[in-house]
C-alpha cells in the first residue's frame, strides 16, 4: 500500500504541470489570448529547442557504465515486441481491407497504416517516467527507482523516439512524393487531352475553314461578276459605284462567315482531363528522404552528442562547465511546462474535452494500462527478473503517456487528439486505480 506521504509527493510533483495545462486551456477557450498560429509556434519551439536540450541533459548526466542490464533488456524487448506486433497487425488489416474492396475507386491511395502503428506504439510503450514515474516510484520503492527511471528515459530518447520520428518523417516524405508524382501525370494527361481536343475540334475548325474558303470564293465570284457587269462601255462613274457596292457586299459576307466560324468553335464540348491515379514512390527513395530529414533534426544530434559526452565524462571523470550547464538549464526547464501548456491549448481548440471520443480513449486505456504492462511482465519473467525490480518494471510500463509524444504528434499532425487524451484526462483515473490496487 502506498503511504499517504508518498501520495502527497506525487500530487506535489504533478500539480504544477497540470496547472500549466489548465492555464493553456483557459488562455484559448475563454481568454482567446492565442491564435492557432501562435499555439503552433509554442509547440514548434518545444519540439525544436526545449525537448532536444532536455534530451541532451538527460542523456549526458546518465552513467552508461552502471546501468541495470536486465531492466534495459526487458524494456527493449517489450518495445520491440509491441512495435513488431502493431506493424504486423496494421499491415494485415490494411491488405485485408484492400482485398475486401475497401480501396477507393477514384484512384486515390488508401490511408497509410503507419499512422496507427506510431500512435499505438507511443500510447503503449512510451511512458511518462520523469514527470510522474520518479515521484510515484520513489514513494513506492525508494530512491533507487529514480535512477532506474532515468535509465529507461535515456533509452527512449536515444533509440525509440528516433524510431518514432523516423516513422513520422517516412510518412511525410511518402505523402510529399505522392503529391509531386500526380502533377507530372496530370500535365501529361492535360497535354494529351489538348491533343485529343485539337484532333476532335480540328474537323470543326477545318470544316469551318472550308466553309470560309467557299464563301470567299463565292464572294470573289460575286465581285468579279459585278466588275464584269461594269463593262468598259459604261461610264466610269457608274463602274466605280458598282465596284464599291460589290466590295461592301463581300466585306459583309466575310464578317458573317467569321462570326459563324467563331460560334462553331465555341460550341466544341470541353473534355475534362481524367483524374490521374496517385503514384506511389519507390520505398527506398522514401526511406532515404526520411533518413536525410532525420539527420537534420535536433533530437538526433542531442541524443548522440549526450551519449558521447556521458561516455567520456563518466570514463575520464570530468563534469559540464557551469556556464554551459546553467545555459542549458534555462532552456530545458521550459520543456515540460510548455509541453503541458501546449496540450491545454490543443484541447481548448477542439470541439469536446476528449477530442478523439470516448471509444478510442477507452481503447487507449486498455492498450496503455493492460496490454503494455502484461507484455512487460511476461518479458521480465522470461529473462529472470523478480522482486522489487520486477515491480518497478511493470509499474513504469503502466505509467500514462509521455507528454513528449503529444509534442511530436502535434508537430507532425498525426493523431494528436489521441495523444492529448492519453495523458491528460486519464491520469486521474490511473492514479486512483493504482492506489487502490497496490
Amino acid at each position: 500500500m502506498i503511504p499517504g506521504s508518498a501520495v502527497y509527493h506525487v500530487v506535489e510533483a504533478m500539480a504544477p504541470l497540470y496547472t500549466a495545462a489548465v492555464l493553456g486551456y483557459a488562455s484559448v477557450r475563454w481568454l482567446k489570448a492565442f491564435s492557432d498560429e501562435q499555439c503552433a509556434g509554442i509547440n514548434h519551439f518545444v519540439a525544436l529547442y526545449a525537448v532536444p536540450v532536455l534530451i541532451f541533459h538527460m542523456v549526458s548526466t546518465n552513467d552508461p557504465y552502471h546501468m541495470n542490464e536486465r531492466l534495459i533488456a526487458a524494456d527493449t524487448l517489450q518495445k520491440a515486441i509491441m512495435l513488431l506486433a502493431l506493424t504486423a497487425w496494421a499491415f494485415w488489416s490494411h491488405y485485408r481491407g484492400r482485398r475486401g474492396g475497401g480501396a477507393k475507386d477514384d484512384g486515390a491511395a488508401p490511408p497509410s497504416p503507419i499512422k496507427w502503428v506510431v500512435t499505438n506504439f507511443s500510447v503503449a510503450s512510451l511512458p511518462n517516467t520523469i514527470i510522474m514515474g520518479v515521484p510515484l516510484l520513489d514513494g513506492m520503492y525508494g530512491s533507487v527507482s529514480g535512477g532506474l527511471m532515468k535509465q529507461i528515459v535515456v533509452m527512449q530518447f536515444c533509440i525509440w523516439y528516433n524510431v518514432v520520428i523516423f516513422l513520422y518523417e517516412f510518412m511525410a516524405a511518402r505523402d510529399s512524393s505522392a503529391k509531386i508524382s500526380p502533377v507530372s501525370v496530370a500535365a501529361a494527361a492535360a497535354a494529351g487531352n489538348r491533343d485529343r481536343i485539337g484532333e476532335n475540334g480540328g474537323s470543326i475548325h477545318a470544316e469551318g475553314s472550308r466553309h470560309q474558303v467557299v464563301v470567299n470564293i463565292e464572294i470573289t465570284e460575286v465581285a468579279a461578276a459585278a466588275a464584269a457587269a461594269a463593262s468598259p462601255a459604261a461610264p466610269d462613274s457608274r463602274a466605280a459605284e458598282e465596284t464599291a457596292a460589290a466590295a461592301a457586299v463581300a466585306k459583309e459576307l466575310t464578317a458573317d462567315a467569321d462570326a459563324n466560324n467563331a460560334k462553331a468553335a465555341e460550341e466544341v464540348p470541353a473534355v475534362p482531363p481524367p483524374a490521374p491515379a496517385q503514384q506511389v514512390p519507390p520505398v527506398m527513395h522514401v526511406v532515404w528522404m526520411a533518413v536525410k530529414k532525420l539527420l537534420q533534426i535536433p533530437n538526433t544530434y542531442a541524443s548522440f552528442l549526450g551519449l558521447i559526452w556521458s561516455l567520456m565524462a563518466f570514463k575520464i571523470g570530468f563534469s559540464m562547465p557551469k556556464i554551459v550547464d546553467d545555459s542549458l538549464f534555462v532552456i530545458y526547464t521550459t520543456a515540460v511546462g510548455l509541453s503541458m501548456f501546449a496540450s491545454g491549448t490543443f484541447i481548448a481548440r477542439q470541439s469536446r474535452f476528449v477530442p478523439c471520443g470516448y471509444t478510442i480513449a477507452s481503447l487507449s486505456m486498455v492498450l496503455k494500462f493492460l496490454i503494455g504492462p502484461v507484455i512487460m511482465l511476461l518479458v521480465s519473467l522470461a529473462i529472470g527478473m523478480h522482486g522489487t525490480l520486477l515491480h518497478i518494471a511493470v509499474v513504469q510500463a503502466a505509467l500514462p503517456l509521455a507528454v513528449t509524444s503529444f509534442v511530436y504528434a502535434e508537430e507532425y499532425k498525426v493523431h494528436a487528439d489521441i495523444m492529448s487524451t492519453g495523458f491528460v484526462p486519464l491520469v486521474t483515473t490511473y492514479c486512483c486505480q493504482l492506489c487502490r490496487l497496490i
Side-chain angles (χ1 to χ4, degrees):
M1 187 66 183
I2 303 178
S5 59
V7 175
Y8 174 76
H9 287 312
V10 173
V11 175
E12 185 181 42
M14 296 182 61
L17 303 175
Y18 288 95
T19 300
V22 171
L23 180 60
Y25 183 88
S27 298
V28 174
R29 174 69 72 174
W30 299 310
L31 301 180
K32 310 296 182 183
F34 297 97
S35 63
D36 292 345
E37 292 79 9
Q38 292 170 335
C39 294
I42 295 173
N43 193 84
H44 191 62
F45 168 80
V46 175
L48 196 61
Y49 294 105
V51 170
V53 175
L54 177 63
I55 291 174
F56 177 81
H57 169 72
M58 296 297 298
V59 177
S60 63
T61 55
N62 176 70
D63 187 357
Y65 301 103
H66 295 86
M67 300 179 69
N68 193 295
E69 293 85 359
R70 288 191 175 183
L71 180 62
I72 297 302
D75 181 72
T76 303
L77 285 175
Q78 186 249 5
K79 290 177 170 58
I81 291 173
M82 287 295 302
L83 183 60
L84 293 176
L86 290 170
T87 302
W89 166 79
F91 280 94
W92 176 74
S93 302
H94 177 68
Y95 288 115
R96 186 185 65 172
R98 292 186 62 180
R99 286 197 303 267
K104 297 181 180 179
D105 297 332
D106 56 358
S112 174
I114 303 178
K115 292 183 178 181
W116 286 107
V117 173
V118 176
T119 301
N120 292 332
F121 175 75
S122 300
V123 170
S125 304
L126 300 178
N128 197 339
T129 51
I130 293 298
I131 298 176
M132 186 175 180
V134 172
L136 178 64
L137 295 175
D138 279 349
M140 295 171 60
Y141 304 109
S143 58
V144 66
S145 61
L148 297 175
M149 292 300 97
K150 190 173 182 179
Q151 296 175 18
I152 293 177
V153 170
V154 169
M155 295 301 296
Q156 288 182 3
F157 284 150
C158 289
I159 299 177
W160 300 110
Y161 276 119
N162 286 323
V163 171
V164 169
I165 295 174
F166 170 78
L167 293 177
Y168 281 136
E169 291 294 343
F170 179 86
M171 288 185 290
R174 183 176 182 270
D175 293 341
S176 62
S177 299
K179 290 177 181 178
I180 293 173
S181 297
V183 173
S184 58
V185 176
N193 188 60
R194 285 194 299 268
D195 293 339
R196 288 192 298 271
I197 293 175
E199 294 172 359
N200 296 333
S203 60
I204 298 176
H205 290 296
E207 185 177 332
S209 299
R210 289 193 298 269
H211 178 68
Q212 184 175 2
V213 170
V214 172
V215 171
N216 290 337
I217 291 174
E218 293 177 352
I219 293 172
T220 306
E221 292 176 352
V222 170
S231 59
D236 293 339
S237 59
R238 181 178 178 84
E241 290 177 358
E242 290 179 353
T243 302
V249 171
K251 183 177 180 180
E252 183 178 355
L253 292 176
T254 303
D256 292 340
D258 292 338
N260 292 332
N261 290 333
K263 184 177 181 181
E266 292 176 357
E267 292 176 355
V268 176
V271 180
Q278 188 171 1
Q279 302 294 313
V280 179
V283 176
M284 292 308 300
H285 174 69
V286 177
V287 170
W288 176 240
M289 292 175 61
V291 169
K292 289 195 298 183
K293 186 67 176 179
L294 181 65
L295 295 177
Q296 300 173 2
I297 294 177
N299 295 34
T300 306
Y301 292 102
S303 59
F304 286 102
L305 288 177
L307 181 60
I308 293 173
W309 177 270
S310 64
L311 290 171
M312 295 189 302
F314 287 96
K315 186 68 174 181
I316 301 175
F318 59 89
S319 59
M320 187 80 66
K322 189 176 186 304
I323 186 171
V324 177
D325 189 49
D326 291 345
S327 300
L328 298 177
F329 174 81
V330 172
I331 300 177
Y332 73 72
T333 50
T334 65
V336 177
L338 284 180
S339 299
M340 298 298 291
F341 186 89
S343 68
T345 60
F346 176 82
I347 296 176
R349 285 178 283 145
Q350 309 306 310
S351 59
R352 49 186 176 178
F353 185 71
V354 182
C356 64
Y358 291 100
T359 301
I360 297 181
S362 301
L363 294 176
S364 299
M365 289 184 64
V366 172
L367 192 63
K368 174 76 258 182
F369 303 138
L370 181 61
I371 297 178
V374 167
I375 295 178
M376 174 60 78
L377 175 62
L378 296 177
V379 170
S380 300
L381 292 174
I383 65 175
M385 292 177 60
H386 55 82
T388 301
L389 185 61
L390 176 63
H391 296 167
I392 292 176
V394 175
V395 172
Q396 69 84 24
L399 292 171
L401 177 65
V403 65
T404 310
S405 299
F406 164 77
V407 173
Y408 293 141
E410 173 66 7
E411 184 71 13
Y412 288 95
K413 308 301 180 186
V414 178
H415 294 162
D417 52 348
I418 301 177
M419 297 297 188
S420 65
T421 305
F423 66 90
V424 176
L426 304 182
V427 170
T428 304
T429 304
Y430 168 74
C431 292
C432 296
Q433 295 296 328
L434 185 63
C435 294
R436 288 171 54 190
L437 295 176
I438 299 179

